[in-house]
Amino acid sequence: MTEPQSKKALTRRRVLQASAGAAAAIGAAGLPVLQTNTPALGDKKLTVEPLIPSQNRGIILYSVRDRITAAPDDSGVPYGFERVLARIAEIGYKEVEFAGYTQHTSILGRQITPAEIRKILDDNGLVANGTHASINAATFQQQLDIAETLGMKNIGTGSDPTNSAYQSDWDAAADLWNELGRQAKERGLRLYTHNHDVAYSFLLDSGPLDANGRPTASSGVRRLEYFFAKTDPKYVFFEFDIYWGYVARFKHRTYTNSRGQVRTDLFDPILNVANRTKRFPLFHAKDGDRAPEQANGHVMTPLGEGDINFQQFFEVIGEPEFHHANWEQDTAPGGAANPGQSLSFADISYKNMSDLTIYRQ
């Protein structure tokens, strides 16, 4: 089994680097900016704290899905919930986000139950902080039952509330999510949705109309930003996938208005959260290298090996006790050639997440 090598060590010097220009712009907008340069201390004592509290460092199990679902083998790599969750706890993670509740039936001779998974969590000192489930009115109460069994505070999905570009469909989705969010709150949970880049593409909400009476132009409002405004902040929450936010910044820069004019609007992932920070209890701390020749402009990497400035991101959005960071890398599984890769990447990413620190007076 080949151990992956870190190609970009997340050094203390590197994690403290921040964009002075971006910080100035954010400060001018009236949002809090924490300084990362060493201040003139005088007699004041400087202390260091983790930027992401240890109890809020998590992993979505989609990153290690190959080992959760693996049949018993002789690779020496953990497989199934019991062994994989034990390894995740050993690495240091305190929380997990689910991406399904099944493992290979040959492990127990049947499928594992949510109650059995909960015992494994408890035995390893792990907390379930969310899930990517199917969110719809027909099965929502059943999903809430599972979430309660697993001890979750949040229940969500990896899909957008609608794949449509049209305002009327987002209106209908907002009505449904407000109701489901109300049901979740009645049972002590928060309902959330997770973004990909297309969620931050532009809504088609203005004329001229096509042959079916649908708008063909945009006022410049992004789909999910419209959804923020249409949903009740008491009932509907969000998990921001930081990587896909930066892909949106790369891909979704222009729209055509009702006059046929092309307009440019730059998406800012930090301000997207900072302007409504208490609506984002969860994050996917997913890293990527810039790759402008690629369709998405980035290529996924273990956390700390890419170009995304997590130090600046988590400093500016604030509320460290409220925010929970789940490491994710869609491309972590190494297949038969390297069955240990996803868990090795989980180890690298946890260490680099732990190295994010903040200095205070």
Side-chain angles (χ1 to χ4, degrees), residues 52 56-59 95 129 281 283 285 314 323-327 353:
I52 301 172
N56 290 4
R57 297 175 201 153
I59 176 175
E95 299 189 327
N129 68 16
F283 294 83
F314 282 106
H323 294 140
H324 299 252
N326 293 323
W327 170 67
M353 188 186 294

Side-chain angles (χ1 to χ4, degrees), residues 206-221:
S206 59
L209 305 181
D210 64 18
N212 296 315
R214 293 278 205 172
T216 61
S218 178
S219 65
V221 175

Side-chain angles (χ1 to χ4, degrees), residues 108-140:
L108 296 176
R110 56 172 173 81
Q111 193 50 257
I112 195 169
T113 67
E116 289 170 328
I117 298 174
R118 174 62 184 272
K119 185 177 186 305
I120 296 170
L121 291 171
D122 293 345
D123 288 347
N124 288 281
L126 294 169
V127 173
N129 68 16
T131 183
H132 280 195
S134 177
I135 301 299
N136 59 72
T139 63
F140 192 58

